[in-house]
Amino acid sequence: MSDTPALPAVSREWHLLSRPVGWPKPDDFALADAEIRQPGPGEVLVRNKYLSVDPYMRGRMSAAKSYAAPFELGKAMQGGAVGEVIASGAEGMAPGDHVLHFGGWREYATIDAQHAVKVDPDAAPLSTYLGVLGMTGLTAYAGLLRTASFKEGDSVFVSGAAGAVGSQVGQIARLKGASRVIGSAGSDEKVKLLVEEYGFDAAFNYKNGPVSEQLRDAAPDGVDVYFDNVGGDHLEAAIGQLNQGGRIAVCGMISVYNNTEPAPGPKNLTRLIQTRGRIEGFLVGDHYDLQPQFVAEVGPWIRSGELKYRETVVEGIENNLEAFLGVLRGDNTGKMIVKL
């Protein structure tokens, strides 16, 4: 039986007021009140407990055609969320159940129950279903093992390696027998975390010098797999160090998300001819068939402590926007979570 407090009359939710040009500004957004709607047939009303903010959301703030529909102006934005069912008009879901869904950026959400998945708060902390055991974790798993065709003995380079996806990529590679795992991050503290806690063989602060030089020093024998979260000079450096038959999985390019002009591409693409290298982009939505395999393999590593994770937790719906901007700045270590 849930001990949920009485339902308020309104829910606070974030709206996009105008499409950002360059870096998003607070004036592009508003925290608005919305009436809480009771669920109809097949729907559930959820009180959100944890919200996710992710780099891909920057793309949805633009009107440009992409793999996900743009956020609508003047309406609530969406994102991953975990919460408690308060009222249900759907079979199989009852008050007190906890669900994962995409009605984030708000305190309460009335959603189609078909778009919600039950999660067990006793099996793992609720916040992990937004990160290490959720879409973030599956992104790392699918990108490394399927898109990049990782195999035992590969040397692996990960950019944005202290982030939610990157930290998991490096650890999965290590646990599955990589010969060497190298990561880049944006602070000396994060570099220390990668080596001392996550078990990377080498790591460097990309702010301390040219990425190409630092990568050559960290991977003198080259890299077989590059997992790209950053793009720009990191991608060019990885192509320069790619071994024969090397593979590059492009997950994200956070370094260019706020550019107002197209960023120049790598100047050394001809090296892919010499190495017979391959670059392939991917979206986690194309790989949900791996979810059972992912949970079966990664879940025990998390429970045993072999795979470690960090979360950066920001409290309060009023700080949701600042948490998102923090992700774009690289403020987070591991998954950025908003706790309500």
Side-chain angles (χ1 to χ4, degrees):
M1 192 75 178
S2 172
D3 56 357
T4 306
L7 202 63
V10 296
S11 167
R12 289 179 293 172
E13 58 186 33
W14 281 96
H15 291 188
L16 183 66
L17 299 184
S18 56
R19 303 207 179 277
V21 177
W23 274 85
K25 303 181 296 297
D27 289 350
D28 295 323
F29 307 85
L31 183 59
D33 288 341
E35 186 178 346
I36 295 175
R37 183 172 64 82
Q38 289 297 323
E43 294 182 325
V44 289
L45 171 61
V46 181
R47 177 168 63 89
N48 286 331
K49 293 189 172 183
Y50 294 95
L51 307 177
S52 178
V53 287
D54 304 279
Y56 80 87
M57 293 172 174
R58 177 61 185 88
R60 295 195 66 188
M61 294 172 189
S62 166
K65 187 175 181 180
S66 184
Y67 60 86
F71 291 132
E72 294 185 61
L73 295 181
K75 294 189 177 180
M77 296 188 288
Q78 298 96 36
V82 176
E84 180 183 352
V85 175
I86 302 301
S88 175
E91 277 190 43
M93 288 192 182
D97 287 342
H98 289 83
V99 294
L100 171 67
H101 62 96
F102 278 90
W105 287 79
R106 68 200 82 183
E107 292 174 305
Y108 290 81
T110 303
I111 55 173
D112 187 332
Q114 291 185 327
H115 298 152
V117 177
K118 277 190 193 181
V119 295
D120 184 355
D122 296 323
L126 283 174
S127 60
T128 63
Y129 292 104
L130 294 174
V132 69
L133 278 177
M135 184 175 71
T136 301
L138 182 60
T139 299
Y141 188 85
L144 177 68
L145 301 183
R146 179 175 279 174
T147 306
S149 305
F150 170 86
K151 59 185 184 299
E152 187 176 351
D154 279 343
S155 172
V156 177
F157 171 44
V158 188
S159 58
V165 173
S167 59
Q168 206 157 340
V169 171
Q171 291 183 83
I172 292 171
R174 173 177 56 79
L175 288 163
K176 293 184 81 66
S179 61
R180 188 167 177 78
V181 179
I182 304 108
S184 73
S187 72
D188 293 340
E189 182 182 13
K190 289 180 179 180
V191 167
K192 184 178 180 183
L193 173 73
L194 292 176
V195 175
E196 295 185 1
E197 185 167 330
Y198 293 156
F200 282 59
D201 297 290
F204 60 86
N205 181 348
Y206 66 83
K207 297 176 182 176
N208 287 349
V211 175
S212 56
E213 293 178 13
Q214 294 196 77
L215 180 59
R216 274 197 299 272
D217 291 341
D221 297 323
V223 296
D224 301 300
V225 168
Y226 170 48
F227 193 104
D228 191 13
N229 291 305
V230 173
D233 54 356
H234 281 76
L235 178 57
E236 188 167 294
I239 292 171
Q241 283 301 101
L242 205 61
N243 288 333
Q244 189 96 342
R247 290 88 65 204
I248 296 174
V250 181
C251 176
M253 292 191 174
I254 197 169
S255 69
V256 301
Y257 285 170
N258 293 304
N259 289 3
T260 55
E261 298 292 332
K267 297 190 292 287
N268 57 350
L269 283 174
T270 54
R271 182 166 166 73
L272 294 175
I273 302 170
Q274 302 158 19
T275 62
R276 290 73 152 178
R278 169 168 63 84
I279 300 181
E280 184 177 344
F282 75 99
L283 294 173
V284 67
D286 297 333
H287 302 282
Y288 279 119
D289 62 297
L290 289 176
Q291 180 78 21
Q293 176 184 323
F294 159 67
V295 173
E297 187 164 22
V298 175
W301 287 338
I302 293 170
R303 286 191 291 275
S304 69
E306 292 174 274
L307 193 151
K308 303 179 189 304
Y309 68 95
R310 291 281 190 96
E311 293 175 338
T312 299
V313 180
V314 172
E315 298 214 9
I317 186 74
E318 64 277 7
N319 295 314
N320 213 89
L321 176 59
E322 182 55 31
F324 168 71
L325 296 175
V327 170
L328 297 184
R329 291 191 299 261
D331 293 352
N332 55 304
T333 299
K335 183 78 181 83
M336 180 72 89
I337 299 285
V338 178
K339 181 181 180 182
L340 303 189

Short mmCIF file of all heavy atoms in Angstrom, two decimals, residues 53-84:
data_model
loop_
_atom_site.label_atom_id
_atom_site.label_comp_id
_atom_site.label_asym_id
_atom_site.label_seq_id
_atom_site.Cartn_x
_atom_site.Cartn_y
_atom_site.Cartn_z
N VAL A 53 18.37 14.00 -17.50
CA VAL A 53 18.72 15.03 -18.48
C VAL A 53 19.91 14.49 -19.26
O VAL A 53 20.87 13.97 -18.68
CB VAL A 53 19.04 16.39 -17.83
CG1 VAL A 53 17.77 17.06 -17.34
CG2 VAL A 53 20.03 16.26 -16.67
N ASP A 54 19.85 14.61 -20.59
CA ASP A 54 20.82 13.96 -21.46
C ASP A 54 21.22 14.87 -22.61
O ASP A 54 20.43 15.73 -23.04
CB ASP A 54 20.22 12.67 -22.03
CG ASP A 54 19.73 11.72 -20.95
OD1 ASP A 54 20.58 11.01 -20.38
OD2 ASP A 54 18.52 11.71 -20.66
N PRO A 55 22.43 14.69 -23.14
CA PRO A 55 22.90 15.55 -24.24
C PRO A 55 21.98 15.56 -25.45
O PRO A 55 21.83 16.59 -26.11
CB PRO A 55 24.27 14.96 -24.58
CG PRO A 55 24.73 14.30 -23.33
CD PRO A 55 23.49 13.76 -22.68
N TYR A 56 21.35 14.41 -25.76
CA TYR A 56 20.52 14.35 -26.98
C TYR A 56 19.36 15.34 -26.94
O TYR A 56 18.81 15.73 -27.99
CB TYR A 56 19.98 12.94 -27.20
CG TYR A 56 18.77 12.58 -26.37
CD1 TYR A 56 17.48 12.89 -26.81
CD2 TYR A 56 18.90 11.95 -25.13
CE1 TYR A 56 16.36 12.59 -26.04
CE2 TYR A 56 17.79 11.64 -24.36
CZ TYR A 56 16.53 11.96 -24.82
OH TYR A 56 15.43 11.67 -24.05
N MET A 57 18.97 15.76 -25.74
CA MET A 57 17.85 16.69 -25.61
C MET A 57 18.15 18.04 -26.27
O MET A 57 17.22 18.75 -26.69
CB MET A 57 17.51 16.90 -24.14
CG MET A 57 16.96 15.65 -23.48
SD MET A 57 16.77 15.86 -21.69
CE MET A 57 15.95 14.31 -21.26
N ARG A 58 19.44 18.38 -26.39
CA ARG A 58 19.79 19.63 -27.07
C ARG A 58 19.31 19.60 -28.52
O ARG A 58 18.80 20.60 -29.05
CB ARG A 58 21.31 19.88 -27.00
CG ARG A 58 21.78 21.13 -27.75
CD ARG A 58 21.14 22.38 -27.17
NE ARG A 58 21.48 23.59 -27.93
CZ ARG A 58 20.81 24.03 -28.98
NH1 ARG A 58 19.75 23.36 -29.43
NH2 ARG A 58 21.16 25.14 -29.60
N GLY A 59 19.44 18.46 -29.17
CA GLY A 59 18.98 18.34 -30.55
C GLY A 59 17.48 18.51 -30.68
O GLY A 59 16.99 19.08 -31.66
N ARG A 60 16.73 18.06 -29.69
CA ARG A 60 15.28 18.16 -29.73
C ARG A 60 14.79 19.60 -29.49
O ARG A 60 13.62 19.90 -29.73
CB ARG A 60 14.64 17.22 -28.70
CG ARG A 60 14.89 15.75 -28.98
CD ARG A 60 13.96 14.87 -28.18
NE ARG A 60 12.57 15.04 -28.61
CZ ARG A 60 11.54 14.51 -27.96
NH1 ARG A 60 11.73 13.80 -26.86
NH2 ARG A 60 10.31 14.70 -28.40
N MET A 61 15.66 20.46 -29.03
CA MET A 61 15.30 21.87 -28.85
C MET A 61 15.38 22.64 -30.16
O MET A 61 14.91 23.77 -30.24
CB MET A 61 16.20 22.50 -27.78
CG MET A 61 15.97 21.92 -26.40
SD MET A 61 17.18 22.48 -25.19
CE MET A 61 16.76 21.38 -23.81
N SER A 62 15.97 22.02 -31.16
CA SER A 62 16.08 22.63 -32.48
C SER A 62 14.94 22.15 -33.36
O SER A 62 14.38 21.07 -33.15
CB SER A 62 17.42 22.24 -33.11
OG SER A 62 17.45 22.53 -34.48
N ALA A 63 14.59 22.95 -34.37
CA ALA A 63 13.54 22.54 -35.31
C ALA A 63 14.10 21.68 -36.43
O ALA A 63 13.35 21.17 -37.25
CB ALA A 63 12.87 23.78 -35.90
N ALA A 64 15.42 21.52 -36.46
CA ALA A 64 16.06 20.76 -37.54
C ALA A 64 15.60 19.30 -37.51
O ALA A 64 15.38 18.72 -36.43
CB ALA A 64 17.57 20.83 -37.41
N LYS A 65 15.47 18.70 -38.67
CA LYS A 65 15.05 17.31 -38.76
C LYS A 65 16.11 16.41 -38.15
O LYS A 65 17.30 16.56 -38.41
CB LYS A 65 14.82 16.93 -40.23
CG LYS A 65 14.23 15.55 -40.42
CD LYS A 65 13.92 15.27 -41.88
CE LYS A 65 13.30 13.88 -42.05
NZ LYS A 65 13.00 13.60 -43.46
N SER A 66 15.68 15.50 -37.32
CA SER A 66 16.61 14.60 -36.65
C SER A 66 15.90 13.28 -36.40
O SER A 66 14.79 13.04 -36.88
CB SER A 66 17.08 15.23 -35.33
OG SER A 66 18.05 14.42 -34.71
N TYR A 67 16.56 12.42 -35.61
CA TYR A 67 15.98 11.09 -35.34
C TYR A 67 14.87 11.16 -34.32
O TYR A 67 14.12 10.19 -34.16
CB TYR A 67 17.08 10.12 -34.88
CG TYR A 67 17.79 10.52 -33.61
CD1 TYR A 67 17.28 10.18 -32.36
CD2 TYR A 67 18.99 11.20 -33.65
CE1 TYR A 67 17.93 10.53 -31.20
CE2 TYR A 67 19.66 11.55 -32.49
CZ TYR A 67 19.13 11.21 -31.27
OH TYR A 67 19.78 11.56 -30.11
N ALA A 68 14.74 12.27 -33.61
CA ALA A 68 13.66 12.43 -32.63
C ALA A 68 12.92 13.73 -32.94
O ALA A 68 13.53 14.73 -33.34
CB ALA A 68 14.22 12.47 -31.21
N ALA A 69 11.61 13.73 -32.74
CA ALA A 69 10.81 14.92 -33.05
C ALA A 69 11.23 16.08 -32.15
O ALA A 69 11.54 15.89 -30.97
CB ALA A 69 9.33 14.61 -32.84
N PRO A 70 11.24 17.30 -32.67
CA PRO A 70 11.58 18.46 -31.84
C PRO A 70 10.57 18.64 -30.71
O PRO A 70 9.39 18.30 -30.85
CB PRO A 70 11.51 19.64 -32.82
CG PRO A 70 11.58 19.04 -34.18
CD PRO A 70 10.97 17.68 -34.07
N PHE A 71 11.03 19.18 -29.60
CA PHE A 71 10.11 19.59 -28.55
C PHE A 71 9.18 20.65 -29.12
O PHE A 71 9.60 21.52 -29.89
CB PHE A 71 10.86 20.18 -27.36
CG PHE A 71 11.68 19.20 -26.57
CD1 PHE A 71 13.00 19.49 -26.24
CD2 PHE A 71 11.14 17.99 -26.16
CE1 PHE A 71 13.76 18.60 -25.49
CE2 PHE A 71 11.90 17.08 -25.42
CZ PHE A 71 13.21 17.39 -25.09
N GLU A 72 7.91 20.62 -28.71
CA GLU A 72 6.96 21.63 -29.17
C GLU A 72 7.06 22.87 -28.29
O GLU A 72 7.16 22.77 -27.07
CB GLU A 72 5.53 21.07 -29.11
CG GLU A 72 5.26 19.93 -30.09
CD GLU A 72 3.81 19.51 -30.05
OE1 GLU A 72 2.94 20.35 -30.35
OE2 GLU A 72 3.54 18.33 -29.72
N LEU A 73 7.03 24.02 -28.94
CA LEU A 73 7.11 25.27 -28.19
C LEU A 73 5.85 25.45 -27.34
O LEU A 73 4.73 25.17 -27.79
CB LEU A 73 7.26 26.46 -29.15
CG LEU A 73 8.56 26.51 -29.96
CD1 LEU A 73 8.57 27.76 -30.85
CD2 LEU A 73 9.78 26.51 -29.05
N GLY A 74 6.04 25.92 -26.11
CA GLY A 74 4.92 26.20 -25.22
C GLY A 74 4.29 24.98 -24.59
O GLY A 74 3.25 25.08 -23.94
N LYS A 75 4.91 23.82 -24.79
CA LYS A 75 4.38 22.58 -24.19
C LYS A 75 5.46 21.90 -23.37
O LYS A 75 6.65 22.19 -23.53
CB LYS A 75 3.88 21.63 -25.29
CG LYS A 75 2.67 22.17 -26.03
CD LYS A 75 2.07 21.11 -26.95
CE LYS A 75 0.81 21.64 -27.63
NZ LYS A 75 0.21 20.60 -28.52
N ALA A 76 5.04 20.99 -22.50
CA ALA A 76 5.99 20.30 -21.64
C ALA A 76 6.98 19.49 -22.47
O ALA A 76 6.61 18.83 -23.44
CB ALA A 76 5.25 19.39 -20.67
N MET A 77 8.25 19.56 -22.08
CA MET A 77 9.27 18.75 -22.72
C MET A 77 9.19 17.32 -22.18
O MET A 77 8.46 17.04 -21.22
CB MET A 77 10.64 19.37 -22.48
CG MET A 77 10.79 20.74 -23.13
SD MET A 77 12.46 21.41 -23.06
CE MET A 77 12.60 21.81 -21.34
N GLN A 78 9.91 16.42 -22.84
CA GLN A 78 9.91 15.02 -22.41
C GLN A 78 11.32 14.56 -22.10
O GLN A 78 12.30 15.13 -22.58
CB GLN A 78 9.32 14.11 -23.49
CG GLN A 78 7.88 14.38 -23.86
CD GLN A 78 7.77 15.25 -25.08
OE1 GLN A 78 8.57 15.15 -26.00
NE2 GLN A 78 6.78 16.13 -25.09
N GLY A 79 11.40 13.51 -21.33
CA GLY A 79 12.66 12.87 -21.02
C GLY A 79 12.42 11.67 -20.14
O GLY A 79 11.31 11.46 -19.64
N GLY A 80 13.44 10.88 -19.96
CA GLY A 80 13.32 9.70 -19.12
C GLY A 80 12.98 10.06 -17.68
O GLY A 80 13.44 11.07 -17.15
N ALA A 81 12.14 9.24 -17.05
CA ALA A 81 11.74 9.48 -15.66
C ALA A 81 11.38 8.15 -15.01
O ALA A 81 10.95 7.21 -15.68
CB ALA A 81 10.56 10.44 -15.60
N VAL A 82 11.55 8.11 -13.71
CA VAL A 82 11.08 6.97 -12.91
C VAL A 82 10.19 7.52 -11.82
O VAL A 82 10.53 8.53 -11.17
CB VAL A 82 12.25 6.20 -12.28
CG1 VAL A 82 11.73 5.08 -11.37
CG2 VAL A 82 13.15 5.59 -13.35
N GLY A 83 9.03 6.90 -11.63
CA GLY A 83 8.12 7.39 -10.61
C GLY A 83 7.18 6.34 -10.10
O GLY A 83 7.22 5.16 -10.51
N GLU A 84 6.31 6.78 -9.22
CA GLU A 84 5.34 5.89 -8.58
C GLU A 84 3.94 6.13 -9.16
O GLU A 84 3.51 7.28 -9.32
CB GLU A 84 5.30 6.16 -7.07
CG GLU A 84 4.32 5.27 -6.31
CD GLU A 84 4.24 5.61 -4.84
OE1 GLU A 84 5.05 6.43 -4.37
OE2 GLU A 84 3.35 5.06 -4.16
#
